[in-house]
Amino acid sequence: MMAFLSMIGVGLIGLLPLANPLTSVIVLLGIGSHLEPAERNRQVLQASVYVFLILLISFYAGQAILNLFAISLPGLRIAGGLIVGHIGFQMLFPKDALDSRTPRQGGSQSIAFVPLAMPTTAGPGTIAFIISASATVPAHVPTWMFQSAAVTSFALTGLICWLVLRAANPIMRMLGHSGIDAISRLMGFILVCMGVQFVINGIEQVYHGLQG
């Protein structure tokens, strides 16, 4: 039992810094402020479920999917970096993205899968980490225990994401629209930098692969 709990703890220690739910809160504050509270809560729940499913699929079928479409991990990092950078530009220059952020009449724009679940939370770094971990089962650990601990870690990560994102509601009420706009622009710049760094990391992997 202690070994099982220890593996869950190790999984969370590895996943949470990569998933970084606080970044998702900032994205929600920036592009989800127009949503009604009930709709925002619904999409937060959806995003948390999506995070769990993305982690689960990455663990069991991630490498097979990448192989099927001939996608390398550097390619995944570069693509994820471009998406993160695009989201950052939308937050940094909200007037430019107003049309795409404004919900259509009679409906509301869904932000649960993109960008909240992917790539903000379950991004290329998280997926790459899970794919690598799925291929390194410790020799002394039964496969069923390793897989059960992994799935439990994914579920807890989704739950933590839900709790953190739900905390965005009081933050929105406390900051007001002007405060949210200021934080959104600041975090938009940081997301652009993160996206560029993802691309740089991907290019470095390609370079080292060619050198090797």
Side-chain angles (χ1 to χ4, degrees):
M1 186 63 181
M2 290 302 298
F4 180 71
L5 294 176
S6 176
M7 282 189 288
I8 293 174
V10 171
L12 290 175
I13 291 173
L15 281 173
L16 290 178
L18 291 169
N20 194 5
L22 293 177
T23 303
S24 300
V25 170
I26 301 301
V27 173
L28 180 62
L29 291 175
I31 66 178
S33 58
H34 66 276
L35 298 173
E36 294 295 328
E39 175 63 17
R40 187 164 59 244
N41 290 339
R42 186 183 70 83
Q43 295 204 28
V44 163
L45 178 60
Q46 285 184 342
S48 302
V49 173
Y50 288 147
V51 167
F52 170 72
L53 293 176
I54 292 169
L55 299 181
L56 192 66
I57 293 171
S58 299
F59 183 77
Y60 284 106
Q63 189 61 61
I65 293 173
L66 293 183
N67 292 339
L68 177 64
F69 294 99
I71 301 172
S72 65
L73 287 179
L76 181 68
R77 290 183 183 276
I78 292 173
L82 293 175
I83 296 173
V84 170
H86 175 67
I87 295 167
F89 272 114
Q90 284 189 317
M91 295 172 64
L92 190 57
F93 305 106
K95 290 184 179 180
D96 296 341
L98 184 60
D99 293 338
S100 63
R101 284 170 45 192
T102 303
R104 296 181 181 179
Q105 188 173 1
S108 58
Q109 180 190 17
S110 176
I111 60 174
F113 189 79
V114 178
L116 287 183
M118 177 184 283
T120 307
T121 305
T126 308
I127 294 173
F129 170 77
I130 291 176
I131 292 175
S132 300
S134 66
T136 56
V137 183
H140 64 282
V141 176
T143 302
W144 68 266
M145 181 181 292
F146 179 78
Q147 293 182 350
S148 299
V151 173
T152 304
S153 299
F154 303 156
L156 290 175
T157 300
L159 176 62
I160 292 171
C161 288
W162 178 74
L163 292 172
V164 173
L165 287 171
R166 281 298 298 263
N169 291 332
I171 294 174
M172 285 183 174
R173 290 193 295 268
M174 179 178 65
L175 293 178
H177 288 292
S178 59
I180 291 172
D181 183 66
I183 293 176
S184 177
R185 290 174 185 270
L186 175 61
M187 290 307 299
F189 175 73
I190 294 176
L191 283 180
V192 171
C193 295
M194 289 173 58
V196 172
Q197 189 61 53
F198 282 158
V199 173
I200 292 173
N201 292 344
I203 293 174
E204 284 182 345
Q205 282 186 278
V206 172
Y207 175 76
H208 290 311
L210 293 176
Q211 292 296 311

